[in-house]
């Protein structure tokens, strides 16, 4: 199947300049180009399995790089108001650092984004235990979540730059029940909009909560913090957490608190008033929703670069995380330590620990149902 996929991909290529060896020095390998604005190059291999880097580019010159290892968005290159291009997401320019410890840079997160309390849940009379990989809790799918697996990739078929990734998560993987077939499609539109569409089916009832863990710094310079970014979140309430960052089950109004981003506020203006472990924003916002389609969750503006990021989603929640655990221990490809609060995440999702919080919207996918979720990140300029 994988072989067929690769042959089909090659069939769409009109310029094939790739050498056939597993070349880990990706910069020496020229990319294959396709008719669709999508190209790929070999990016190394893991235990004999090749890993690729896919490049989606549009007419404006915006470029998104994605690897099928973890479905990771490795860069999202746009121009600032001076016309200078740089990546607005944290990432590395080779595979090796992604195989080391890093805090989920750009990755697809699953089977369950964010935390499940005590790494346990029940569905009916069945009790399930997950790996506790964050103190006593389960975080972001476990020890080897969807961020650490190789996804298979469909050949590009659209006239727009896109890639479609598949992963079959086996029954019992990381403790989760049911064989879960997952598809994630990334598309880069002409409007500098990166769309992510997630679908999944299962053969046993299981929790599913998929997201993307891109870390944004709209300045394009990881030496800058994100404290000056202006954020607006379309949410009148959020879900408070305990000291281990597990949702308490309450849904609390943001009014009159440092959590209120219903009007634009800089990240730094009230962040020190958000105490806890370790302090700063790391909370799920309960989005104000009108219906079931794509609706605006958040808008972020960086006055220095002029870049604006709008997030639209079909999800009921969004984790607003301000890089409070970034501590300089990860070094990016330019040799720069990724320091405290130099990026923020806008992880669209269902609410953390929903399997143990019956009042939250359910995250249980039943056999015969299809999980479907869409999020679009759009970049524009305000001059
Ligand atoms: C999520 C969580 C954070 C942290 C990061 C990864 O955003 O909410 O608490 O675990 O992932 O470091």
């Amino acid at each position: 199947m994988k072989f067929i996929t690769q042959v089909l991909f090659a069939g769409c290529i009109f310029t094939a300049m790739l050498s056939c060896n597993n070349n880990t020095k990706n910069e020496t390998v020229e990319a294959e180009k396709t008719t669709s604005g999508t190209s790929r190059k070999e990016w190394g291999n893991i235990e004999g399995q090749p890993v690729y880097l896919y490049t989606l580019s549009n007419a404006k010159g915006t470029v998104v790089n994605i690897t099928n290892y973890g479905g990771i968005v490795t860069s999202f290159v746009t121009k600032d108001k001076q016309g200078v291009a740089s990546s607005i997401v944290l990432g590395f320019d080779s595979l090796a650092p992604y195989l080391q410890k890093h805090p989920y840079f750009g990755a697809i997160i699953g089977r369950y984004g964010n935390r499940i309390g005590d790494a346990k849940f029940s569905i009916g009379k069945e009790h399930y235990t997950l790996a506790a990989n964050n103190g006593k809790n389960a975080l972001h799918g476990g020890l080897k979540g969807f961020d650490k697996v190789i996804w298979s990739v469909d050949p590009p078929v659209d006239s727009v730059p896109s890639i479609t990734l598949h992963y079959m998560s086996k029954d019992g993987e990381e403790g989760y029940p049911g064989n879960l077939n997952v598809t994630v499609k990334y598309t880069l539109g002409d409007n500098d909009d990166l769309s992510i569409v997630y679908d999944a089916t299962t053969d046993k009832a299981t929790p599913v909560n998929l997201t993307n863990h891109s870390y944004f710094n709209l300045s394009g310079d990881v030496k800058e913090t994100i404290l000056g970014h202006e954020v607006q979140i379309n949410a009148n309430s959020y879900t408070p957490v305990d000291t281990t960052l597990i949702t308490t089950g309450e849904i609390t109004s943001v009014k009159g608190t440092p959590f209120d981003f219903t009007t634009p506020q800089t990240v730094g203006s009230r962040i020190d008033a958000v105490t806890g472990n370790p302090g700063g924003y790391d909370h799920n916002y309960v989005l104000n929703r009108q219906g079931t389609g794509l609706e605006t969750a958040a808008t972020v503006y960086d006055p220095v670069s002029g870049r604006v990021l709008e997030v639209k989603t079909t999800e009921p929640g969004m984790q607003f995380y301000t890089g409070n655990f970034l501590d300089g221990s990860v070094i990016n490809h330019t040799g720069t330590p990724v320091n405290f609060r130099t990026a923020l995440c806008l992880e669209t999702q269902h609410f953390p620990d929903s399997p143990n919080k019956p009042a939250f919207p359910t995250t249980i996918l039943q056999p015969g149902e299809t999980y479907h979720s869409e999020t679009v990140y759009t970049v524009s300029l305000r001059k």
Side-chain angles (χ1 to χ4, degrees):
M1 180 62 197
K2 198 168 293 136
F3 176 74
I4 293 169
T5 300
Q6 287 170 9
V7 169
L8 284 171
F9 193 100
C12 298
I13 292 162
F14 64 76
T15 313
M17 296 177 287
L18 197 68
S19 61
C20 287
N21 61 342
N22 288 326
N23 196 331
T24 48
K25 288 193 183 116
N26 60 80
E27 59 281 358
T28 64
V29 178
E30 288 190 75
E32 300 165 326
K33 291 201 178 71
T34 73
T35 49
S36 67
T38 310
S39 64
R40 75 167 190 181
K41 63 182 179 183
E42 288 191 8
W43 224 44
N45 74 85
I46 298 172
E47 292 165 6
Q49 274 196 273
V51 172
Y52 296 95
L53 185 72
Y54 296 81
T55 300
L56 278 48
S57 45
N58 70 12
K60 282 190 181 171
T62 294
V63 173
V64 177
N65 280 302
I66 299 164
T67 172
N68 64 321
Y69 175 69
I72 295 171
V73 175
T74 65
S75 66
F76 188 165
V77 179
T78 75
K79 291 189 186 116
D80 68 10
K81 65 182 177 189
Q82 317 288 353
V84 178
S86 49
S87 179
I88 58 163
V89 295
L90 300 188
F92 306 114
D93 64 355
S94 61
L95 179 61
Y98 285 110
L99 307 180
Q100 309 294 316
K101 198 170 155 47
H102 72 93
Y104 307 93
F105 282 177
I108 296 170
I109 304 294
R111 187 174 301 199
Y112 198 94
N114 214 279
R115 292 173 177 78
I116 294 182
D118 292 332
K120 280 185 193 146
F121 64 92
S122 302
I123 301 177
K125 290 189 183 125
E126 300 293 331
H127 305 294
Y128 297 99
T129 304
L130 308 168
N133 62 337
N134 189 246
K136 60 187 180 135
N137 303 320
L139 175 67
H140 290 335
L143 297 170
K144 188 174 179 184
F146 294 179
D147 59 299
K148 296 183 186 70
V149 299
I150 297 181
W151 294 66
S152 65
V153 182
D154 282 350
V157 286
D158 296 346
S159 54
V160 288
S162 70
I163 64 162
T164 302
L165 305 160
H166 300 282
Y167 180 63
M168 216 289 288
S169 169
K170 293 209 177 82
D171 185 13
E173 188 175 300
E174 297 296 318
Y176 288 97
N179 292 297
L180 186 76
N181 259 305
V182 188
T183 299
V184 177
K185 182 174 184 180
Y186 286 103
T187 306
L188 176 64
D190 283 341
N191 211 17
D192 291 349
D193 39 337
L194 178 65
S195 150
I196 314 177
V197 177
Y198 309 83
D199 286 286
T201 54
T202 185
D203 58 6
K204 267 187 205 167
T206 180
V208 183
N209 191 28
L210 305 178
T211 192
N212 175 277
H213 211 303
S214 286
Y215 284 76
F216 294 94
N217 182 325
L218 299 187
S219 78
D221 181 358
V222 72
K223 293 197 192 79
E224 301 291 333
T225 73
I226 43 73
L227 297 175
H229 285 27
E230 290 175 19
V231 172
Q232 183 164 14
I233 303 177
N234 183 23
N236 292 340
S237 46
Y238 75 107
T239 52
V241 288
D242 68 16
T243 51
T244 69
L245 296 173
I246 291 297
T247 47
T248 61
E250 298 154 286
I251 291 182
T252 300
S253 170
V254 296
K255 209 173 166 58
T257 76
F259 295 97
D260 190 349
F261 285 93
T262 53
T263 56
Q265 307 288 333
T266 59
V267 174
S269 56
R270 300 157 302 165
I271 198 167
D272 292 334
V274 182
T275 53
N277 170 25
Y281 301 101
D282 190 359
H283 295 82
N284 171 65
Y285 278 76
V286 178
L287 300 172
N288 302 333
R289 296 201 54 95
Q290 311 301 317
T292 55
L294 279 171
E295 293 173 21
T296 301
T299 308
V300 183
Y301 170 55
D302 169 35
V304 179
S305 66
R307 289 189 182 95
V308 180
L309 175 70
E310 187 185 14
V311 185
K312 288 189 176 165
T313 189
T314 57
E315 286 297 306
M318 187 191 75
Q319 189 79 11
F320 177 47
Y321 169 59
T322 47
N324 312 310
F325 293 111
L326 299 176
D327 59 5
S329 58
V330 174
I331 310 292
N332 87 343
H333 59 276
T334 59
T336 309
V338 180
N339 285 323
F340 189 52
R341 295 179 181 160
T342 51
L344 56 83
C345 301
L346 305 157
E347 301 156 67
T348 55
Q349 61 183 9
H350 271 56
F351 306 168
D353 201 30
S354 293
N356 296 309
K357 301 282 153 46
F360 287 173
T362 185
T363 51
I364 305 300
L365 180 71
Q366 300 288 348
E369 295 176 345
T370 299
Y371 171 96
H372 181 80
S373 172
E374 298 179 27
T375 293
V376 183
Y377 295 97
T378 305
V379 187
S380 59
L381 287 175
R382 199 181 291 170
K383 296 196 180 174

